[in-house]
Amino acid sequence: GRLEAAQAALGAAAKAWRGAAAELSKRLDEQLREALESHGHDPDDVVGELTCMLASGHVSPPLQSFLASTLTEPGLRRLAKTVDAALQEVSRQLLDGVLPELQLVAFVAGELRGRARAAHITHTLGLKERAVLQCEGAATRALVQAEALRQLVTRVAAQYRVFFTWLLKTLQSLEESRPEGEEGPLPGATPPGGPGSLAGVPVCVPTLLAFLDPAEGQLACDAVARDLDASQATLGLPVGSLRLPPRLAPHLRALQQAVFPG
């Protein structure tokens, strides 16, 4: 039914994000931690290291090593593209697959409530208004939750774009500040002032601070994965025909045939 379609779309969204999150984890949870540890810094304080760089403008030796030698500019651009594509797919699944289905489920539940309320007039049997109200409330909560998730994904996508732009600017500034006489540019680096240079692109500091928040920021807690999992876990609330009392089934089928022909 409609809930199953919404659940399938949520599953596809979660799968898309898991792939990007795994690549992020490889880069930031493994490679950056290794760079921090090898330079005598706290490997568990990735967020603190990045926040210090944002506050001071100083790129510490482990961050220099990670950005210039391990990640490199082409790798950073690929990572940014992977993450952005995954978040766009999550947003598409929510907009095209989850929200429309939940809107229809909530509509049917509302129609059932109307029938239940008029049962004493129409002599419709089997409809208990209180039970239908519970179903409608569950459907509405699922719909509100899905919309909140969509807004979160949109906000996080913007934060990741700012974050990767900042890292690219930092990486390019490392190339520009290299002492004269050092051999060649960094691997894959954009020439200073050349195409792809971000020297003149501003970075939104408040957005970065929200992203790097050690308590609630996306980098620290991955709110997208958390809320996708929560949505999948709670979408099984009793708003589907299989979970309604058996006497409601004929009325629900009649409404479904009218609302969802074919």
Side-chain angles (χ1 to χ4, degrees):
R2 297 290 159 171
L3 277 181
E4 287 75 11
Q7 286 175 322
L10 270 177
K15 181 179 179 181
W17 179 242
R18 277 196 300 270
E23 185 64 21
L24 278 169
S25 177
K26 175 184 175 183
R27 296 296 193 177
L28 300 180
D29 288 342
E30 296 177 20
Q31 294 177 345
L32 180 51
R33 286 173 185 267
E34 289 175 3
L36 291 173
E37 188 171 18
S38 66
H39 285 78
H41 290 227
D42 184 357
D44 294 324
D45 194 23
V46 170
V47 170
E49 193 82 18
L50 291 168
T51 303
C52 285
M53 184 173 77
L54 176 63
S56 66
H58 171 68
V59 187
S60 65
L63 282 174
Q64 286 190 37
S65 173
F66 170 71
L67 290 172
S69 302
T70 303
L71 190 55
T72 73
E73 185 172 333
L76 182 52
R77 289 185 182 275
R78 283 194 300 271
L79 181 61
K81 186 176 180 180
T82 297
V83 170
D84 194 65
L87 288 169
Q88 291 298 322
E89 176 62 15
V90 172
S91 183
R92 187 188 71 80
Q93 290 290 348
L94 291 171
L95 280 171
D96 298 341
V98 178
L99 286 168
E101 302 295 349
L102 292 181
Q103 287 167 353
L104 290 171
V105 170
F107 172 77
V108 168
E111 290 296 301
L112 279 173
R113 174 173 49 80
R115 284 200 172 197
R117 186 163 292 175
H120 66 287
I121 300 174
T122 60
H123 304 292
T124 303
L125 300 178
L127 285 172
K128 300 295 183 181
E129 186 175 357
R130 184 174 180 179
V132 175
L133 277 172
Q134 291 176 344
C135 293
E136 185 182 18
T140 302
R141 286 193 298 274
L143 180 59
V144 170
Q145 184 181 33
E147 173 58 23
L149 176 57
R150 185 196 66 79
Q151 293 179 16
L152 169 70
V153 170
T154 300
R155 183 168 64 252
V156 167
Q159 290 177 348
Y160 269 114
R161 292 186 195 109
V162 172
F163 175 65
F164 287 124
T165 297
W166 173 55
L167 291 185
L168 280 167
K169 281 174 64 74
T170 302
L171 188 50
Q172 290 178 1
S173 72
L174 291 176
E175 170 64 14
E176 293 170 2
S177 62
R178 296 182 81 202
E180 292 186 9
E182 286 196 9
E183 294 184 2
L186 295 171
T190 297
S197 173
L198 299 175
V201 177
V203 171
C204 181
V205 173
T207 299
L208 273 176
L209 288 174
F211 180 78
L212 296 172
D213 187 317
E216 299 180 357
Q218 170 64 22
L219 188 61
C221 68
D222 194 356
V224 172
R226 178 198 65 202
D227 287 5
L228 275 171
D229 290 344
S231 294
Q232 287 183 284
T234 58
L235 199 54
L237 290 167
V239 295
S241 59
L242 296 179
R243 298 179 178 86
L244 290 172
R247 290 184 179 181
L248 289 180
H251 310 290
L252 184 58
R253 279 197 296 270
L255 283 169
Q256 286 179 323
Q257 289 171 3
V259 179
F260 317 130

